Amino acid sequence: MNTNTIHTDLCIIGAGPVGLFAVFEAGLLKMRCHLIDALPQVGGQLSEIYPQKPIYDIPGYPEVKAQDLVDNLMEQAKPFQPTFTLGERVDYLNRQADGSFVVTTSDKTHVHAKVIIIAGGLGCFEPRKPVLTNLEQFEGKGINYMVKNPEHFRDKNVVIAGGGDSALDWSIYLAKVAKRVTLVHRNETFRGAPDSAAKVFDLANRGKIDLILSANLKEVTGNGKLEKVILEDKWKQDLSIDADHLIPLFGLSPKLGPIADWGLSIDKNAIEVDTRDYSTGVERIYAIGDINTYPGKLKLILCGFHEAAIMMHSAFKYVYPDQKLSFKYTTVNGVNAF
Protein backbone atom coordinates (compact mmCIF):
# COMPACT_ATOMS: atom_id res chain seq x y z
CA MET A 1 0.00 0.00 0.00
CA ASN A 2 1.26 3.50 -0.87
CA THR A 3 3.06 5.11 2.09
CA ASN A 4 1.16 8.36 1.42
CA THR A 5 -2.21 6.62 1.62
CA ILE A 6 -4.87 8.34 3.73
CA HIS A 7 -6.33 5.92 6.29
CA THR A 8 -9.89 6.31 7.58
CA ASP A 9 -12.85 4.26 8.76
CA LEU A 10 -15.31 5.53 6.17
CA CYS A 11 -14.66 7.03 2.75
CA ILE A 12 -17.61 9.18 1.71
CA ILE A 13 -17.75 9.91 -2.01
CA GLY A 14 -19.61 13.20 -2.31
CA ALA A 15 -19.36 16.22 -0.01
CA GLY A 16 -22.88 17.51 -0.58
CA PRO A 17 -25.41 17.98 2.23
CA VAL A 18 -26.09 14.27 2.70
CA GLY A 19 -22.38 13.42 2.75
CA LEU A 20 -21.75 16.16 5.31
CA PHE A 21 -24.57 15.01 7.56
CA ALA A 22 -23.24 11.46 7.30
CA VAL A 23 -20.04 12.72 8.97
CA PHE A 24 -22.07 13.83 11.98
CA GLU A 25 -23.92 10.51 12.22
CA ALA A 26 -20.63 8.61 11.89
CA GLY A 27 -19.02 10.77 14.55
CA LEU A 28 -21.72 9.90 17.05
CA LEU A 29 -20.63 6.29 16.62
CA LYS A 30 -16.90 7.12 16.89
CA MET A 31 -16.18 6.47 13.20
CA ARG A 32 -13.74 8.66 11.26
CA CYS A 33 -14.58 10.01 7.79
CA HIS A 34 -12.68 11.17 4.74
CA LEU A 35 -14.73 12.83 1.98
CA ILE A 36 -13.86 13.05 -1.73
CA ASP A 37 -15.61 15.34 -4.19
CA ALA A 38 -14.89 16.32 -7.78
CA LEU A 39 -15.98 19.87 -7.03
CA PRO A 40 -13.44 22.28 -5.54
CA GLN A 41 -15.60 23.04 -2.52
CA VAL A 42 -18.00 21.21 -0.21
CA GLY A 43 -21.75 21.53 -0.64
CA GLY A 44 -22.37 19.70 -3.90
CA GLN A 45 -25.12 21.15 -6.06
CA LEU A 46 -26.15 23.54 -3.28
CA SER A 47 -22.85 25.41 -3.39
CA GLU A 48 -22.00 24.91 -7.06
CA ILE A 49 -25.34 25.65 -8.74
CA TYR A 50 -27.66 27.57 -6.43
CA PRO A 51 -25.96 28.75 -3.22
CA GLN A 52 -28.56 31.50 -2.67
CA LYS A 53 -31.59 29.32 -3.44
CA PRO A 54 -34.11 29.22 -0.59
CA ILE A 55 -34.93 25.74 0.73
CA TYR A 56 -38.25 25.24 2.49
CA ASP A 57 -38.34 21.57 3.53
CA ILE A 58 -35.57 21.28 6.13
CA PRO A 59 -37.01 20.50 9.60
CA GLY A 60 -36.66 23.44 11.95
CA TYR A 61 -36.03 25.94 9.14
CA PRO A 62 -39.10 27.59 7.56
CA GLU A 63 -36.61 28.92 5.00
CA VAL A 64 -32.86 28.50 4.70
CA LYS A 65 -30.52 29.48 1.89
CA ALA A 66 -28.63 26.60 0.33
CA GLN A 67 -25.17 27.88 1.25
CA ASP A 68 -26.27 28.61 4.82
CA LEU A 69 -27.43 25.01 5.13
CA VAL A 70 -24.04 23.80 3.89
CA ASP A 71 -22.24 26.09 6.36
CA ASN A 72 -24.38 24.79 9.22
CA LEU A 73 -23.72 21.17 8.24
CA MET A 74 -19.99 21.87 8.21
CA GLU A 75 -20.26 23.41 11.67
CA GLN A 76 -22.22 20.39 12.88
CA ALA A 77 -19.57 18.00 11.52
CA LYS A 78 -16.60 20.04 12.77
CA PRO A 79 -16.24 18.35 16.20
CA PHE A 80 -15.61 15.02 14.44
CA GLN A 81 -12.69 16.38 12.39
CA PRO A 82 -13.48 15.04 8.92
CA THR A 83 -10.78 15.29 6.27
CA PHE A 84 -11.33 16.16 2.61
CA THR A 85 -9.96 15.61 -0.87
CA LEU A 86 -11.64 18.19 -3.11
CA GLY A 87 -11.37 18.85 -6.83
CA GLU A 88 -10.58 15.21 -7.57
CA ARG A 89 -12.75 12.51 -9.12
CA VAL A 90 -12.81 8.96 -7.79
CA ASP A 91 -11.51 6.71 -10.58
CA TYR A 92 -10.65 3.31 -9.08
CA LEU A 93 -11.80 1.09 -6.24
CA ASN A 94 -9.68 -1.89 -5.21
CA ARG A 95 -10.77 -4.40 -2.59
CA GLN A 96 -8.10 -5.56 -0.14
CA ALA A 97 -7.62 -9.04 1.32
CA ASP A 98 -9.33 -8.07 4.59
CA GLY A 99 -12.44 -6.77 2.77
CA SER A 100 -11.52 -3.09 3.03
CA PHE A 101 -10.93 -0.83 0.01
CA VAL A 102 -8.34 1.50 -1.47
CA VAL A 103 -9.86 4.36 -3.46
CA THR A 104 -7.73 6.13 -6.09
CA THR A 105 -8.64 9.56 -7.43
CA SER A 106 -7.92 11.30 -10.73
CA ASP A 107 -4.88 12.97 -9.09
CA LYS A 108 -3.63 9.64 -7.70
CA THR A 109 -4.66 10.31 -4.12
CA HIS A 110 -5.07 6.99 -2.29
CA VAL A 111 -7.59 6.50 0.51
CA HIS A 112 -7.83 3.28 2.51
CA ALA A 113 -11.23 2.73 4.14
CA LYS A 114 -13.15 -0.07 5.80
CA VAL A 115 -16.42 1.11 4.28
CA ILE A 116 -17.35 3.08 1.15
CA ILE A 117 -20.36 5.41 1.22
CA ILE A 118 -21.50 6.83 -2.09
CA ALA A 119 -23.29 10.12 -1.42
CA GLY A 120 -22.58 11.72 -4.76
CA GLY A 121 -26.00 13.26 -5.33
CA LEU A 122 -26.55 12.88 -9.06
CA GLY A 123 -22.93 11.94 -9.65
CA CYS A 124 -21.35 14.15 -12.30
CA PHE A 125 -24.06 16.41 -13.62
CA GLU A 126 -24.80 19.05 -16.21
CA PRO A 127 -27.95 21.13 -16.80
CA ARG A 128 -30.53 19.89 -19.28
CA LYS A 129 -30.66 22.45 -22.07
CA PRO A 130 -33.80 23.33 -24.04
CA VAL A 131 -34.00 22.87 -27.79
CA LEU A 132 -34.01 26.53 -28.69
CA THR A 133 -33.00 28.58 -31.72
CA ASN A 134 -29.87 30.70 -31.04
CA LEU A 135 -29.34 29.07 -27.62
CA GLU A 136 -25.55 28.82 -27.78
CA GLN A 137 -25.23 32.37 -29.09
CA PHE A 138 -26.61 33.80 -25.84
CA GLU A 139 -25.19 31.40 -23.26
CA GLY A 140 -23.36 33.61 -20.78
CA LYS A 141 -24.92 36.66 -22.43
CA GLY A 142 -28.30 36.49 -20.77
CA ILE A 143 -28.98 32.76 -20.63
CA ASN A 144 -28.11 31.25 -17.26
CA TYR A 145 -28.67 27.68 -16.10
CA MET A 146 -28.24 28.46 -12.41
CA VAL A 147 -28.65 31.33 -9.97
CA LYS A 148 -25.48 31.87 -7.97
CA ASN A 149 -26.13 35.48 -6.95
CA PRO A 150 -29.72 36.79 -7.00
CA GLU A 151 -28.46 40.38 -6.98
CA HIS A 152 -27.25 39.79 -10.54
CA PHE A 153 -30.92 39.88 -11.54
CA ARG A 154 -31.97 42.97 -9.58
CA ASP A 155 -34.18 45.34 -11.56
CA LYS A 156 -33.94 43.10 -14.64
CA ASN A 157 -36.59 41.40 -16.76
CA VAL A 158 -36.20 37.71 -16.01
CA VAL A 159 -37.85 34.77 -17.77
CA ILE A 160 -37.77 31.45 -15.89
CA ALA A 161 -38.72 28.25 -17.70
CA GLY A 162 -39.62 25.01 -15.96
CA GLY A 163 -42.20 23.27 -13.82
CA GLY A 164 -40.24 21.76 -10.93
CA ASP A 165 -39.25 22.97 -7.49
CA SER A 166 -36.30 25.08 -8.67
CA ALA A 167 -38.43 27.00 -11.16
CA LEU A 168 -41.12 27.62 -8.56
CA ASP A 169 -38.74 28.56 -5.74
CA TRP A 170 -36.73 30.98 -7.88
CA SER A 171 -39.88 32.59 -9.26
CA ILE A 172 -41.04 33.24 -5.70
CA TYR A 173 -37.66 34.56 -4.58
CA LEU A 174 -36.79 36.68 -7.61
CA ALA A 175 -40.23 38.30 -7.58
CA LYS A 176 -38.80 40.43 -4.74
CA VAL A 177 -35.60 41.24 -6.64
CA ALA A 178 -36.17 41.48 -10.39
CA LYS A 179 -38.00 44.22 -12.24
CA ARG A 180 -40.32 41.58 -13.67
CA VAL A 181 -40.41 37.80 -13.48
CA THR A 182 -42.14 35.69 -16.12
CA LEU A 183 -42.53 31.97 -15.40
CA VAL A 184 -43.11 29.79 -18.46
CA HIS A 185 -44.23 26.17 -18.23
CA ARG A 186 -45.26 23.81 -20.99
CA ASN A 187 -48.10 22.25 -18.94
CA GLU A 188 -51.07 23.53 -16.94
CA THR A 189 -49.87 22.00 -13.66
CA PHE A 190 -46.52 21.91 -11.88
CA ARG A 191 -44.35 18.99 -10.76
CA GLY A 192 -43.02 20.89 -7.76
CA ALA A 193 -44.36 21.13 -4.21
CA PRO A 194 -48.09 22.04 -4.14
CA ASP A 195 -47.47 24.78 -1.57
CA SER A 196 -44.86 26.42 -3.81
CA ALA A 197 -47.20 26.12 -6.80
CA ALA A 198 -49.96 27.79 -4.78
CA LYS A 199 -47.62 30.67 -3.91
CA VAL A 200 -46.76 31.13 -7.60
CA PHE A 201 -50.42 31.20 -8.61
CA ASP A 202 -51.08 33.72 -5.83
CA LEU A 203 -48.23 35.96 -7.03
CA ALA A 204 -49.61 35.79 -10.56
CA ASN A 205 -53.13 36.61 -9.42
CA ARG A 206 -51.81 39.65 -7.54
CA GLY A 207 -49.84 40.80 -10.57
CA LYS A 208 -46.46 40.27 -8.91
CA ILE A 209 -45.24 37.90 -11.65
CA ASP A 210 -46.38 36.88 -15.11
CA LEU A 211 -47.35 33.23 -15.46
CA ILE A 212 -47.57 31.67 -18.91
CA LEU A 213 -48.74 28.06 -19.06
CA SER A 214 -49.04 25.60 -21.96
CA ALA A 215 -46.23 27.35 -23.81
CA ASN A 216 -42.76 26.34 -24.96
CA LEU A 217 -39.53 28.22 -25.50
CA LYS A 218 -38.95 28.69 -29.22
CA GLU A 219 -36.23 31.27 -29.88
CA VAL A 220 -34.04 33.91 -28.27
CA THR A 221 -32.89 37.10 -29.97
CA GLY A 222 -30.76 40.15 -29.24
CA ASN A 223 -27.84 42.26 -30.36
CA GLY A 224 -24.77 40.91 -28.59
CA LYS A 225 -26.84 40.09 -25.50
CA LEU A 226 -30.26 38.64 -24.81
CA GLU A 227 -33.15 41.02 -25.49
CA LYS A 228 -36.19 38.89 -26.28
CA VAL A 229 -37.53 35.39 -25.63
CA ILE A 230 -39.98 34.01 -28.17
CA LEU A 231 -42.56 31.49 -26.96
CA GLU A 232 -44.98 29.26 -28.83
CA ASP A 233 -48.35 28.78 -27.14
CA LYS A 234 -50.73 25.83 -27.42
CA TRP A 235 -52.39 27.42 -30.46
CA LYS A 236 -48.98 27.56 -32.21
CA GLN A 237 -48.95 31.35 -31.94
CA ASP A 238 -45.71 33.21 -31.15
CA LEU A 239 -45.40 35.42 -28.09
CA SER A 240 -42.45 37.81 -27.66
CA ILE A 241 -41.24 38.77 -24.17
CA ASP A 242 -38.66 41.43 -23.32
CA ALA A 243 -35.92 39.72 -21.34
CA ASP A 244 -32.53 40.57 -19.89
CA HIS A 245 -32.14 37.01 -18.61
CA LEU A 246 -33.52 33.57 -19.39
CA ILE A 247 -33.12 30.87 -16.76
CA PRO A 248 -34.10 27.41 -18.09
CA LEU A 249 -34.52 25.11 -15.11
CA PHE A 250 -35.17 21.68 -16.61
CA GLY A 251 -33.15 19.67 -14.13
CA LEU A 252 -29.78 17.99 -14.39
CA SER A 253 -28.50 15.15 -16.56
CA PRO A 254 -26.80 12.70 -14.19
CA LYS A 255 -23.66 10.77 -15.07
CA LEU A 256 -22.34 8.17 -12.64
CA GLY A 257 -18.86 8.16 -14.17
CA PRO A 258 -16.43 5.40 -13.02
CA ILE A 259 -18.84 4.32 -10.25
CA ALA A 260 -20.93 2.66 -12.96
CA ASP A 261 -18.13 0.09 -13.40
CA TRP A 262 -17.96 -1.03 -9.76
CA GLY A 263 -20.31 -3.99 -10.12
CA LEU A 264 -23.26 -2.20 -8.49
CA SER A 265 -26.86 -2.70 -9.55
CA ILE A 266 -27.77 0.39 -11.58
CA ASP A 267 -31.24 1.51 -12.62
CA LYS A 268 -31.51 4.66 -14.75
CA ASN A 269 -28.25 6.17 -13.48
CA ALA A 270 -29.14 5.45 -9.85
CA ILE A 271 -27.79 2.75 -7.52
CA GLU A 272 -30.28 0.20 -6.22
CA VAL A 273 -30.12 -0.31 -2.45
CA ASP A 274 -31.67 -2.38 0.33
CA THR A 275 -33.87 -0.02 2.34
CA ARG A 276 -33.11 -1.85 5.58
CA ASP A 277 -29.66 -0.24 5.67
CA TYR A 278 -29.09 1.38 2.22
CA SER A 279 -26.45 -1.18 1.34
CA THR A 280 -25.70 -1.96 -2.28
CA GLY A 281 -25.21 -5.43 -3.73
CA VAL A 282 -21.49 -5.16 -2.93
CA GLU A 283 -20.53 -5.78 0.68
CA ARG A 284 -19.23 -2.72 2.57
CA ILE A 285 -20.50 -0.29 -0.07
CA TYR A 286 -23.53 1.88 0.75
CA ALA A 287 -25.35 4.54 -1.27
CA ILE A 288 -27.35 7.39 0.25
CA GLY A 289 -29.04 10.52 -1.06
CA ASP A 290 -30.13 11.26 -4.62
CA ILE A 291 -27.70 8.75 -6.11
CA ASN A 292 -29.67 5.75 -4.81
CA THR A 293 -33.04 4.33 -5.81
CA TYR A 294 -35.66 2.07 -4.25
CA PRO A 295 -39.47 1.76 -4.37
CA GLY A 296 -41.04 4.96 -3.05
CA LYS A 297 -37.79 6.94 -3.24
CA LEU A 298 -38.15 10.69 -2.72
CA LYS A 299 -35.25 12.87 -3.81
CA LEU A 300 -35.31 15.18 -0.83
CA ILE A 301 -32.37 16.31 1.30
CA LEU A 302 -34.17 15.30 4.48
CA CYS A 303 -34.66 11.76 3.10
CA GLY A 304 -30.92 11.58 2.50
CA PHE A 305 -30.37 12.61 6.13
CA HIS A 306 -32.60 9.74 7.27
CA GLU A 307 -30.73 7.27 5.04
CA ALA A 308 -27.39 8.44 6.46
CA ALA A 309 -28.53 7.81 10.03
CA ILE A 310 -29.83 4.31 9.28
CA MET A 311 -26.81 3.16 7.24
CA MET A 312 -24.26 4.26 9.82
CA HIS A 313 -25.64 1.75 12.30
CA SER A 314 -25.08 -0.95 9.68
CA ALA A 315 -21.57 0.24 8.76
CA PHE A 316 -20.54 0.13 12.44
CA LYS A 317 -20.05 -3.65 12.31
CA TYR A 318 -17.28 -3.31 9.72
CA VAL A 319 -15.41 -0.65 11.67
CA TYR A 320 -15.80 -2.31 15.08
CA PRO A 321 -16.40 -6.02 14.32
CA ASP A 322 -15.82 -7.06 17.94
CA GLN A 323 -18.31 -4.60 19.41
CA LYS A 324 -22.07 -4.67 19.55
CA LEU A 325 -23.80 -1.37 18.93
CA SER A 326 -25.91 -0.48 21.95
CA PHE A 327 -27.00 2.59 23.85
CA LYS A 328 -27.21 3.17 27.58
CA TYR A 329 -29.67 5.65 28.92
CA THR A 330 -29.12 7.52 32.15
CA THR A 331 -31.31 10.04 33.90
CA VAL A 332 -30.02 13.57 34.37
CA ASN A 333 -32.30 15.77 36.44
CA GLY A 334 -35.23 13.60 35.50
CA VAL A 335 -34.49 13.69 31.77
CA ASN A 336 -33.36 10.64 29.77
CA ALA A 337 -29.94 11.12 28.15
CA PHE A 338 -27.32 8.96 26.49
Side-chain angles (χ1 to χ4, degrees):
M1 193 176 299
N2 192 310
T3 56
N4 295 322
T5 297
I6 298 167
H7 293 270
T8 187
D9 294 326
L10 313 177
C11 179
I12 301 176
I13 301 171
V18 173
L20 295 176
F21 185 70
V23 173
F24 172 75
E25 289 294 330
L28 294 178
L29 300 178
K30 305 297 184 183
M31 295 187 291
R32 297 169 297 125
C33 297
H34 184 84
L35 295 86
I36 304 174
D37 202 298
L39 296 175
Q41 73 282 321
V42 301
Q45 296 174 48
L46 297 191
S47 297
E48 178 70 7
I49 298 179
Y50 37 69
Q52 298 301 313
K53 180 180 181 293
I55 302 174
Y56 301 106
D57 57 0
I58 302 299
Y61 290 92
E63 176 182 329
V64 60
K65 289 184 178 179
Q67 188 59 51
D68 290 340
L69 177 60
V70 171
D71 293 342
N72 288 340
L73 288 166
M74 281 292 288
E75 188 66 24
Q76 188 178 33
K78 187 177 179 180
F80 303 111
Q81 300 178 328
T83 52
F84 297 87
T85 296
L86 301 175
E88 299 181 28
R89 183 188 67 246
V90 170
D91 278 350
Y92 302 104
L93 181 69
N94 295 298
R95 187 182 288 276
Q96 306 301 293
D98 63 355
S100 62
F101 296 94
V102 171
V103 172
T104 304
T105 73
S106 52
D107 286 357
K108 307 305 179 186
T109 299
H110 301 279
V111 180
H112 176 254
K114 299 171 184 176
V115 173
I116 303 297
I117 301 164
I118 304 171
L122 295 175
C124 300
F125 51 84
E126 58 185 30
R128 291 192 178 100
K129 299 182 181 182
V131 178
L132 185 60
T133 302
N134 298 328
L135 176 71
E136 293 182 358
Q137 181 180 339
F138 293 100
E139 288 181 325
K141 299 177 182 178
I143 295 180
N144 309 88
Y145 297 105
M146 61 189 74
V147 180
K148 287 195 172 183
N149 181 8
E151 285 301 313
H152 183 64
F153 303 95
R154 183 167 293 280
D155 300 326
K156 304 291 185 181
N157 291 313
V158 179
V159 176
I160 297 175
D165 287 313
S166 289
L168 293 171
D169 291 345
W170 278 124
S171 295
I172 295 167
Y173 190 89
L174 291 179
K176 301 175 288 186
V177 176
K179 178 180 179 181
R180 195 67 185 171
V181 170
T182 301
L183 175 59
V184 180
H185 183 38
R186 63 184 179 181
N187 295 321
E188 292 287 335
T189 58
F190 292 99
R191 302 185 311 277
D195 181 68
S196 298
K199 289 178 180 178
V200 163
F201 281 117
D202 179 64
L203 287 171
N205 290 334
R206 292 190 288 118
K208 300 297 184 181
I209 67 170
D210 294 324
L211 179 60
I212 302 176
L213 301 176
S214 297
N216 289 295
L217 299 176
K218 181 179 180 180
E219 185 180 356
V220 285
T221 64
N223 184 16
K225 61 181 179 125
L226 182 66
E227 295 176 358
K228 290 186 181 295
V229 174
I230 312 299
L231 309 178
E232 182 179 82
D233 64 21
K234 59 184 176 181
W235 296 285
K236 304 299 181 182
Q237 300 294 312
D238 287 354
L239 175 63
S240 177
I241 303 173
D242 291 337
D244 300 301
H245 296 279
L246 168 64
I247 310 173
L249 296 172
F250 298 144
L252 301 170
S253 296
K255 295 181 180 179
L256 286 177
I259 291 174
D261 300 322
W262 289 2
L264 306 171
S265 180
I266 307 294
D267 180 26
K268 297 177 182 177
N269 281 315
I271 301 170
E272 294 181 325
V273 295
D274 183 337
T275 53
R276 291 174 296 181
D277 60 3
Y278 303 98
S279 58
T280 68
V282 178
E283 188 178 16
R284 298 189 185 224
I285 300 181
Y286 297 82
I288 55 177
D290 285 357
I291 203 162
N292 76 14
T293 186
Y294 50 85
K297 169 72 177 184
L298 292 177
K299 291 193 174 185
L300 300 175
I301 294 173
L302 64 91
C303 291
F305 290 169
H306 158 81
E307 294 164 10
I310 296 295
M311 62 105 345
M312 285 301 171
H313 286 70
S314 175
F316 182 87
K317 63 180 177 286
Y318 297 118
V319 178
Y320 297 109
D322 298 326
Q323 295 185 30
K324 184 176 180 181
L325 187 59
S326 62
F327 298 99
K328 288 185 178 180
Y329 289 89
T330 58
T331 300
V332 180
N333 297 326
V335 178
N336 286 335
F338 287 114

